[in-house]
Amino acid sequence: MEKPGKRSWAEPYKIKMVELLKMETRPQRIKAIKEAGYNTFLLKSEDVYIDLLTDSGTSAMSDRQWAGIMMGDEAYAGSRNFYHLEKVIQNSYGYKHIIPTHQGRGAENILSQTMIKKGDIIPGNMYFTTTRLHQELAGGKFVDVIIDEAHDPNSEHPFKGNVDFNKLKAVVDKYGAKRIPYVCMATSVNMAGGQPISMQNLKELRAYTSKLGIRVIHDMTRVAENAYFIQQREKGYADKSIREIVKEICSYTDGATMSAKKDALVNIGGFLATNEWSVYEEARNLVVVYEGLHTYGGLAGRDMEAMAIGIGESLSDDHIRARIGQVEYLGHKMMDYGIPIVKPIGGHGIFVDAKAFLPHLTQDQFPAQTLSAEMYIDAGVRTMERGVVSAGRKSNGENYYPKLELVRFTIPRRVYTQAHMDVIAESIYSVYQKRNRIKGLKMVYEPKYLRFFQARFEKLK
Ligand code: PLI
């Protein structure tokens, strides 16, 4: 028998409970996606076989987290679980003041209302849908200052989440530092394909903004995944733990918004963090208007306990290695089949380049939306459009036309097995083989905000 070459890794957990899946027939799936207006957000979950819509709130909690759920202190004020969560966030991330929120966008709303005035400019390393909308609703304007490579699916730049200082300086020169309340810096940039920012770039960002008196606010939704890429790719970090790297990242920022539904391994929850007392005071005042008292912020005590425990688990090196290892396994399988994907492989999913996959469709025929629907029809795999539909419209009504027209195959944490990854790769290969015959879509219903969630489409004849 041949000796193994590179040794395999395996998940650092075993399975104690399973959730049974149902697989519909192809005609049933064709009917279901038509009824859903060719929008995977409008499918019923029970009609889905493998659900890669998002990694948000879809991860499997550990036995310890479930035990924490039983330890919920459901007091209206001053729940023991809040103080536990506060301590874990302060120790793990280093931020001083914490306000829990029901999820990430709750924190974005409060942050935007606290910091942004009408006419303000918020530079950021690529937009995120809910983040930008809250900035706009508060009267601000988002300006993209990410490096050009982030918009190129084929660029192999190891840190596509980096800020381009020429772009940032141009924004400062044009508008003046006084109109910039903060730079919105995301770790593991979602819309670029889960791409990391380097520690070096972040240090330079800190030095540059400090001189001008501009804050850095951290969208830390997937900070542990970013830390993994720093550990693997950046000089000087190979021997540092994920925990140490995460803490260093946070130390170069003034505050953060967090959707704990991703990295932190819970089904619901988020928080706003700040090192400034005055920001905390204002935000603490607003949270009671939108979320709930500042010691629960829209969460049950048990949710805060699960989050406190999940944060600890998310910072384990073994966890992150297996999590990103699984994403990379799927990515390499797709590349072996010749599928055009965003490179390098990102942290939370595989992003397929729909423009390259369906080159005969124009962006107005929604290639990514189309491919996402086709993936569901082929094998019941639910994915998400991240292209022109997600990008939405500018305040003047014009469509944003993003360079990236992607379908995201998002991998929930600790949920699916390697065999599921094989099924997904085989399914996309089968769709790829008949790509020339795939027709595009037209939008027949468009909601005003975040249209990708509820828009409806029909097949072009
Ligand atoms: O979905 P929320 O409200 O808990 O979080 C909003 C949010 C903020 N920032 C980033 C980078 C996100 O990825 C994010 C939510 N992302 C979702 C739902 C996703 O499917 O990627």
Side-chain angles (χ1 to χ4, degrees):
M1 209 173 103
E2 221 181 297
K3 284 209 187 114
K6 195 168 165 242
R7 298 293 292 266
S8 295
W9 57 269
E11 289 75 6
Y13 53 82
K14 57 185 177 175
I15 296 165
K16 189 171 336 208
M17 190 190 280
V18 296
E19 182 178 341
L20 300 184
L21 297 175
K22 189 171 86 176
M23 198 172 179
E24 304 279 22
T25 62
R26 189 179 171 88
Q28 283 170 327
R29 291 197 295 269
I30 290 173
K31 184 165 171 279
I33 194 74
K34 195 168 173 209
E35 281 173 8
Y38 295 90
N39 185 347
T40 52
F41 277 102
L42 301 178
L43 285 167
K44 290 189 185 136
S45 156
E46 61 176 9
D47 292 338
V48 173
Y49 175 45
I50 301 177
D51 202 348
L52 307 186
L53 185 69
T54 177
D55 62 331
S56 179
T58 53
S59 296
M61 291 208 294
S62 68
D63 51 357
R64 286 158 211 229
Q65 286 177 289
W66 280 108
I69 291 268
M70 297 305 290
M71 307 283 277
D73 170 5
E74 307 305 344
Y76 188 89
S79 161
R80 166 177 78 234
N81 312 115
F82 167 75
Y83 295 107
H84 181 202
L85 175 64
E86 183 182 53
K87 199 151 87 206
V88 167
I89 294 172
Q90 287 166 340
N91 289 344
S92 307
Y93 303 132
Y95 296 119
K96 283 192 193 143
H97 311 295
I98 311 323
I99 291 175
T101 55
H102 76 283
Q103 59 184 77
R105 70 199 71 181
E108 289 170 347
N109 175 33
I110 291 166
L111 174 84
S112 302
Q113 292 210 36
T114 303
M115 288 195 183
I116 299 172
K117 296 188 304 299
K118 196 166 170 23
D120 279 353
I121 305 295
I122 303 95
N125 56 345
M126 202 173 265
Y127 87 101
F128 183 72
T129 52
T130 57
T131 321
R132 184 178 66 192
L133 181 59
H134 280 298
Q135 292 163 356
E136 289 172 351
L137 290 173
K141 184 174 166 237
F142 170 83
V143 181
D144 188 8
V145 294
I146 204 165
I147 57 171
D148 285 343
E149 286 86 342
H151 294 280
D152 174 4
N154 293 313
S155 161
E156 301 260 8
H157 193 294
F159 292 104
K160 283 167 118 174
N162 280 356
V163 169
D164 179 331
F165 285 96
N166 288 330
K167 290 185 190 172
L168 182 56
K169 282 174 189 153
V171 176
V172 172
D173 288 347
K174 184 165 173 197
Y175 299 102
K178 286 218 157 49
R179 281 179 68 187
I180 304 177
Y182 60 94
V183 173
C184 182
M185 184 283 298
T187 34
S188 215
V189 180
N190 191 353
M191 302 302 275
Q195 301 293 331
I197 181 170
S198 73
M199 199 70 91
Q200 183 57 32
N201 189 261
L202 187 49
K203 280 188 204 168
E204 285 167 25
L205 180 65
R206 171 75 293 173
Y208 177 71
T209 51
S210 292
K211 273 195 317 219
L212 297 166
I214 299 174
R215 301 178 186 97
V216 176
I217 298 293
H218 178 195
D219 181 341
M220 61 180 302
T221 296
R222 298 181 182 85
V223 65
E225 292 171 5
N226 196 116
Y228 177 77
F229 289 122
I230 289 176
Q231 189 188 56
Q232 298 300 306
R233 296 177 188 165
E234 195 162 347
K235 206 164 154 254
Y237 288 91
D239 296 328
K240 292 222 155 91
S241 67
I242 295 298
R243 200 169 250 289
E244 288 168 321
I245 299 170
V246 164
K247 195 129 182 212
E248 184 178 341
I249 292 172
C250 297
S251 76
Y252 301 128
T253 70
D254 301 292
T257 53
M258 170 70 148
S259 168
K261 299 171 73 174
K262 285 79 166 175
D263 248 14
L265 297 161
V266 284
N267 304 123
I268 195 73
F271 61 82
L272 172 64
T274 173
N275 292 334
E276 292 168 77
W277 177 259
S278 58
V279 170
Y280 173 64
E281 252 193 325
E282 173 69 8
R284 190 176 62 166
N285 201 230
L286 278 179
V287 79
V288 297
V289 180
Y290 293 106
E291 304 275 321
L293 193 67
H294 60 283
T295 54
Y296 77 85
L299 294 170
R302 55 181 175 269
D303 298 327
M304 292 189 282
E305 191 59 28
M307 198 198 303
I309 298 167
I311 288 171
E313 293 177 5
S314 79
L315 299 176
S316 133
D317 284 54
D318 287 346
H319 161 73
I320 281 288
R321 194 180 310 116
R323 189 283 185 279
I324 296 186
Q326 187 177 47
V327 175
E328 287 176 339
Y329 175 85
L330 176 61
H332 286 299
K333 278 225 124 173
M334 286 198 195
M335 284 200 279
D336 290 347
Y337 285 131
I339 309 297
I341 67 169
V342 172
K343 287 177 247 132
I345 295 166
H348 62 302
I350 304 301
F351 290 67
V352 174
D353 180 358
K355 276 190 192 165
F357 197 109
L358 299 172
H360 56 288
L361 300 188
T362 66
Q363 208 164 8
D364 284 319
Q365 295 173 334
F366 308 111
Q369 190 78 29
T370 303
L371 178 54
S372 184
E374 291 295 327
M375 280 306 300
Y376 173 71
I377 292 170
D378 187 77
V381 176
R382 169 154 73 171
T383 56
M384 187 193 287
E385 192 267 8
R386 295 273 79 157
V388 67
V389 184
S390 293
R393 291 180 190 274
K394 301 177 193 165
S395 46
N396 66 7
E398 281 170 28
N399 269 317
Y400 284 107
Y401 284 101
K403 286 207 184 101
L404 295 176
E405 178 71 25
L406 309 174
V407 179
R408 189 179 71 174
F409 290 62
T410 343
I411 313 296
R413 298 162 187 80
R414 312 193 290 206
V415 171
Y416 292 113
T417 66
Q418 196 154 308
H420 288 110
M421 299 301 122
D422 293 341
V423 168
I424 297 158
E426 286 160 23
S427 168
I428 193 161
Y429 181 57
S430 136
V431 176
Y432 194 55
Q433 283 174 309
K434 49 187 182 217
R435 62 192 181 282
N436 298 335
R437 282 179 273 139
I438 296 174
K439 297 207 173 95
L441 297 169
K442 67 171 181 211
M443 200 186 292
V444 292
Y445 168 69
E446 180 176 352
K448 188 167 161 207
Y449 296 123
L450 302 173
R451 65 183 182 185
F452 57 96
F453 283 129
Q454 289 147 348
R456 299 185 70 85
F457 301 82
E458 281 173 10
K459 264 266 166 228
L460 290 170
K461 297 270 179 281

